[in-house]
Amino acid sequence: PSPPPQAPPPPSPPSQRRTLQQVNPITARLRDILRNYSSAQLLNEMLQNADDAGSSEFKVLLSARTFGTASLLSPALADMQGAALYQFDDAQFRPDDYESIQRVGDGTKLGDPTKTGQFGLGFNSVYHVTDTPMFVSGRDFVVFDPHEAHLPDGLPGLCEDASSLSRACPDQLAPFQGIFGCDVDAGCWRTRSGQGTLFRLPLRTREAAGRSRIKDGRGGAPSFEEVLRQIVDPFLYEGSGEGRETTLHRRLLFLRFVERIEVYVWPPGAEQMSLLASATALPAASPPDA
């Protein structure tokens, strides 16, 4: 006869039980996303997001300027006070936008066929050039730090009142002041709509790339010239040599709200930014007379 089945062992007492959980670090998820998005797509992804937000203007600035480091949220942010890629649009973050941008690869607008971007997977292409994307929208200053290594208390991100922070940590907001109508000192936007959002993507330094778990090596620390050649130029042009053509007017054809695009550069040693290219949407044709 078969032996009688043995009773299962008694469960471990709670004091001896360990909880286990499989996790995927956010830095690893971002690294995987970058494999599917070329850095040349970065500005087009941001343009699509701006159009989804209902913006009428879209502006880009590649700046080589550097700023002070004495009064920052954290000393670890000092490396982010150098060259940066900026993007402005004249819309303002809504509550659902804040929710969407925090959900890596799972934006709330992904199921909406009327939305082309709006902080889905494509927004994370910004991590091709930076480890700490930051922006001012309305009166808010926002910064993300997936490594949890640069912000106070090891935070992965934060949102603060921009005007108040400008008074407490003036160097932190100095890179935004006066760019495309952003007046953080006064707490307002000097734009036609009276509102705006200005992203700033501090270019990852070689030292930071050596520590980055998102994008490391030489490709993770693009220079000013490399960003101009690999990100800005592909947004502006197609082809090469005498056959090179501007693409801005063609990009406007596929947008619902953005009517004007401007791209600027602020080279090393220059006293002000200069316009590289611009385009304005053609007015809609009037219907033919009956």
Side-chain angles (χ1 to χ4, degrees):
S2 301
Q6 296 185 0
S12 302
S15 60
Q16 299 178 15
R17 189 175 302 151
R18 293 183 299 158
T19 300
L20 300 179
Q21 180 182 5
Q22 292 178 306
V23 296
N24 186 20
I26 186 66
T27 52
R29 177 69 175 128
L30 291 170
R31 186 172 64 245
D32 290 342
I33 290 173
L34 293 186
R35 294 190 181 117
N36 297 317
Y37 283 87
S38 163
S39 61
Q41 296 175 259
L42 193 160
L43 290 177
N44 195 49
E45 294 292 341
M46 300 190 88
L47 175 61
Q48 291 175 339
N49 287 338
D51 192 56
D52 286 343
S55 306
S56 63
E57 296 180 82
F58 180 86
K59 299 180 182 181
V60 173
L61 167 65
L62 175 60
S63 172
R65 289 201 301 167
T66 59
F67 299 88
T69 59
S71 56
L72 300 173
L73 276 166
S74 165
L77 289 167
D79 286 345
M80 290 74 185
Q81 292 294 94
L85 183 64
Y86 292 79
Q87 181 261 304
F88 162 83
D89 60 72
D90 62 342
Q92 191 166 305
F93 264 56
R94 300 178 297 268
D96 58 333
D97 294 325
Y98 283 106
E99 177 185 351
S100 178
I101 202 170
Q102 293 180 78
R103 298 170 63 186
V104 175
D106 187 28
T108 58
K109 302 298 195 307
L110 291 179
D112 188 338
T114 68
K115 304 295 186 182
T116 53
Q118 200 63 2
F119 313 119
L121 282 168
F123 168 77
N124 295 296
S125 59
V126 300
Y127 289 101
H128 273 295
V129 300
T130 189
D131 279 338
T132 51
M134 54 187 72
F135 62 91
V136 173
S137 185
R139 298 180 60 90
D140 292 338
F141 169 74
V142 176
V143 57
F144 289 109
D145 178 18
H147 288 93
E148 301 181 10
H150 304 95
L151 295 178
D153 302 320
L155 293 173
L158 59 77
C159 176
E160 295 199 15
D161 180 80
S163 183
S164 298
L165 184 61
S166 180
R167 291 190 293 271
C169 301
D171 286 335
Q172 189 68 67
L173 274 299
F176 292 87
Q177 180 63 29
I179 302 296
F180 300 137
C182 180
D183 191 344
V184 288
D185 292 344
C188 65
W189 285 87
R190 304 190 185 281
T191 59
R192 288 184 300 174
S193 65
Q195 59 184 15
T197 295
L198 179 61
F199 283 89
R200 181 174 182 268
L201 311 179
L203 302 190
R204 189 184 289 110
T205 65
R206 290 192 179 184
E207 292 78 10
R211 302 186 299 268
S212 179
R213 298 191 300 275
I214 298 174
K215 189 166 184 179
D216 55 14
R218 178 171 174 77
S223 66
F224 177 92
E225 292 76 15
E226 288 170 333
V227 173
L228 183 61
R229 184 174 64 253
Q230 298 171 7
I231 296 177
V232 177
D233 278 358
F235 182 70
L236 293 177
Y237 308 107
E238 281 185 356
S240 59
E242 294 183 359
R244 191 165 80 159
E245 298 180 351
T246 59
T247 62
L248 295 186
H249 282 96
R250 195 179 314 148
R251 293 186 188 281
L252 287 167
L253 295 175
F254 299 95
L255 303 174
R256 295 176 301 135
F257 298 106
V258 174
E259 299 174 345
R260 181 163 178 82
I261 302 174
E262 298 174 1
V263 179
Y264 296 82
V265 65
W266 197 318
E271 295 185 358
Q272 60 185 10
M273 70 177 76
S274 57
L275 181 67
L276 283 181
S278 65
T280 302
L282 297 174
S286 301
D289 294 334

